[in-house]
Amino acid sequence: MKPIDETRPTAPVIHVSPSPHLAQSTTSTRRMMVDVLVALVPVVAMSLFVFRGYALLQLAVCLSGSLAAELLFVKMRGRQSTLKDCSAIVTGIILAMSLPGTAPWYVGVIAAFVAVGIGKIIFGGLGMNLFNPAMVGRAFVMISFAGALAASGFEDVRSAVDAVSQATPMNAYKMNGVVTPLVHLFWGTTNGSLGETSALACLLGGLYLIIRRAASWEIPAGLLLAVLVIGGMADLAGPADGWTVLHHILGGSLLFGAFFIATDPVTSPLTPKGKFIFGLGTGTLIMVLRLFSGYPEGVMFAVLLMNALTPLINRWTIPTPFGGQ
Amino acid sequence: MFQGFRNDGHKKNEIHVAAMGLKLEGYPGSGTFAHGVHPPDHKKLSKDAAIRVMPTPEMVVLALHQNIGGPCDPMVKPRQTVQWGELIGKGSTFVSTTLHASVPGIVQRPVRVTLANGRHMDTLPIKTEGELPSGQDLWDEIFGGDWPTTGLNAYEPTQISRDINDAGLVGLGGAAFPTHVKITPGDKKPIHTLIVNGCECEPYLTSDYRLMVEAPVSIITGALLAGRSVGAERIVIGVEDNKMPAVAALKKATDGTGIQIAVVKTKYPQGSEKHLIQAVIKRQVPLGGLPSDVGVAISNVGTMAAVARAVIHKKPLTHRVISVTGGGIVNPSNVLAPIGVSFGALIDFCGGLTPGAARMVAGGPMMGFAFANPNTPVTKGTGGLTVMTRDEVNAGEETACVRCGKCVDVCPMNLVPTKIAMASRHQDIALSRRYNIMACFECGSCAYTCPAHIPLVQLIRVGKALVAAGGI
Ligand code: SF4
Ligand code: SF4
């Protein structure tokens, strides 16, 4: 056959490889991460608007912390650099968004190192980790630096930035029974962790994630359903103190958690059914913690607990194959 | 979990059908199956290229094992002269069939070759000597003339099956399962429906499409004969809704025969037997079962045309239509060529390779086999040769599985491909069986979709071999 002639420079080089020989051009891990970054834009913008310099500083600290940690730990394990997949950037931003702006810089750095180092790399890197890295980092500093991150840690009374001079809505309610108006919770002009205050920003980013299929809809749907049902029952049964199921949904880190944290693909189940169960479980745990524990908030622990259950959920939800009974 | 019939393609079909000015009332249609993918179909490269007849090549190489099941025993000796269509091999078992000389000539010494699917086979090479009709004459000889659609009751059901075996027919859609095993009066499992598969869901390939457009009546005659043989109450031809000219041609040809056309949604792998059955009669073939378990016999359109020729003219299968297409081919074409011709000769007939050609695939890009040797011969099951450029292949770099579940969302068998692949990678047979590894039919939807570009199908294949070796 004429055209295959290796001595000619234009000769085609034929490769052999197993089927399929086509790959979807629109998907890659990097692209999924970029979608998450885009979805984070409204959240980050809102945090900068509300918390100004506090937000900027925390973002800078957490981002550089997780990038440095990724470089360092990957080098220590003698692997190729994985910065290209952007997952360290996502972890850094989500971590920053889940911390209070007033947290001291070293808290952010330690959280980032724990998130990337312990949360991800020692499990074997992206895809191998059992727990959501950002939540591992946050949980570590929450416990180690309880003082700096407890209720009062969110406040900076000397600040000129309005939001940071008040108690967070969740604390104000838990401690003093003060109910923040829903509009404030919706727009996000309240105190709290950087990314959680604006329900609107979380909804916008979350919808983008779902439309782009960078996150599955089943997890937020299950989570919100559980919160609605349990919160609704609490409304009927509990004291009419003005804190309703809507406050539960718009307040605290519920929406941020539902769309950006619980949906982390690596640490959530594989099948649609499994994802829905994961969402239901997370929502239920959040409400149990919020209603019955000493903590005003429950998203972080709920997600970490459900992460631990993910392998089991995967096992329970092995789908029946086509044609199976 | 509910797997059922999804009707989401309905609206779109109506528009297509209406635009064609067709009235398809009473025609079942717009069925589909759950999951699957929508790869770019690339069919425009060759879909309007009318079938061209290839000049007789100097040499053909006929593998003695072209089908699923047993090989053929050779019936001729080297240096023996054979006529076009002469019997040269006989099936060794029931699931096996006959082999015929696709050109007149002199049998050469048997050689062992590697087929595109990687299997090493004994072959009978034949050096062409003597006359074979060419061009239009060959076309007329194979597909031309009148094909009766009435009076077929004169053909006995068992005789039809015997004629099919004598003609060496196998499924021309790619699987190459001996046709007489399927098209035979079934006493144990009654068959109520014969489904004729005209989906051709693999991207690029257009050979079945061209055949439906250019020789619809032979398909109908074959379908009527096959339906009579299996004792089917109804015959349905399934065609994807991106092939409306084929639907129009078939509709004209089926007039008055009672054969129905199901216009099904264009989606990969709609042409998979189990999934076409699901789309047309809304029943699932049980896991590990056969179409006959739900009362269905199913066969490809090209096979039906060959059935008509085998039964009515008592002529064996010696030629088939092959799409030679892809960005790596200078003149993408549909070619009527003898079985056993080399892929290299087909490429030369279609103008050669473009400088960008990077991968030669026997079949379509989703399930076809890549090969490197242009002397590899075509077998009965070869529906196409797709030569792809590097851009078309679009191979991404493999990264870690992020457990996104996209492979789960597209698997038409409703499996968890990532788990099966990882179990295979770690040689964990128990785990891969818990995840139903043997249900995978290697359609490639999962690997096509995976954002981490994990070679899922390849891993699963290795795992299946492990399970098979471990004895099921
Ligand atoms: S599609 Fe790829 S990355 Fe996603 S779960 Fe499946 S194997 Fe993993
Ligand atoms: S697991 Fe098998 S059947 Fe499922 S999509 Fe992948 S190749 Fe197809």
Side-chain angles (χ1 to χ4, degrees), chain B residues 407 410-413 415 417 420 439-447 457 460:
Chain B
C407 52
V410 298
C411 175
M413 293 306 290
L415 305 175
I420 304 176
C440 167
F441 68 110
E442 301 170 21
C443 71
S445 300
C446 51
V457 181
I460 295 173

Side-chain angles (χ1 to χ4, degrees), chain B residues 218-391:
Chain B
S218 64
I219 296 171
I220 301 304
T221 303
L224 289 167
L225 288 165
R228 174 161 168 74
S229 179
V230 297
E233 292 150 25
R234 63 174 187 145
I235 301 173
V236 185
I237 307 181
V239 188
E240 281 186 337
D241 64 3
N242 63 348
K243 302 180 182 65
M244 292 318 282
V247 172
L250 288 171
K251 182 170 188 308
K252 215 165 130 225
T254 49
D255 221 18
T257 61
I259 294 183
Q260 298 171 303
I261 300 172
V263 183
V264 292
K265 197 179 167 189
T266 302
K267 183 161 76 168
Y268 181 85
Q270 183 65 76
S272 139
E273 287 191 348
K274 290 182 172 185
H275 296 89
L276 183 57
I277 292 171
Q278 161 82 0
V280 173
I281 68 161
K282 306 177 183 71
R283 297 258 326 255
Q284 294 190 3
V285 176
L287 212 55
L290 293 169
S292 55
D293 293 332
V294 292
V296 171
I298 178 163
S299 191
N300 153 279
V301 282
T303 316
M304 289 298 107
V307 164
R309 186 159 184 264
V311 176
I312 304 223
H313 299 318
K314 311 283 182 237
K315 287 285 167 60
L317 177 72
T318 59
H319 285 66
R320 67 158 298 149
V321 183
I322 302 167
S323 296
V324 183
T325 179
I329 294 285
V330 174
N331 292 319
S333 315
N334 299 291
V335 183
L336 181 67
I339 314 281
V341 65
S342 72
F343 283 109
L346 281 174
I347 292 173
D348 286 345
F349 178 62
C350 296
L353 297 180
T354 62
R359 193 174 295 179
M360 297 194 286
V361 179
M366 296 298 285
M367 290 183 81
F369 301 96
F371 63 98
N373 182 354
N375 294 327
T376 307
V378 163
T379 58
K380 292 175 182 177
T382 308
L385 165 66
T386 311
V387 182
M388 304 170 76
T389 60
R390 190 177 297 268
D391 286 348

Side-chain angles (χ1 to χ4, degrees), chain A residues 206-217:
Chain A
L207 282 181
Y208 177 82
L209 276 182
I210 286 169
I211 290 168
R212 296 283 307 168
R213 291 176 183 266
S216 57
W217 62 268

Side-chain angles (χ1 to χ4, degrees), chain B residues 5-29:
Chain B
F5 174 64
R6 272 200 204 158
N7 211 3
D8 44 1
H10 199 106
K11 284 257 164 51
K12 204 169 131 230
N13 291 336
E14 272 177 359
I15 296 164
H16 271 273
V17 173
M20 292 293 303
L22 293 177
K23 281 206 193 69
L24 289 177
E25 280 129 291
Y27 286 79

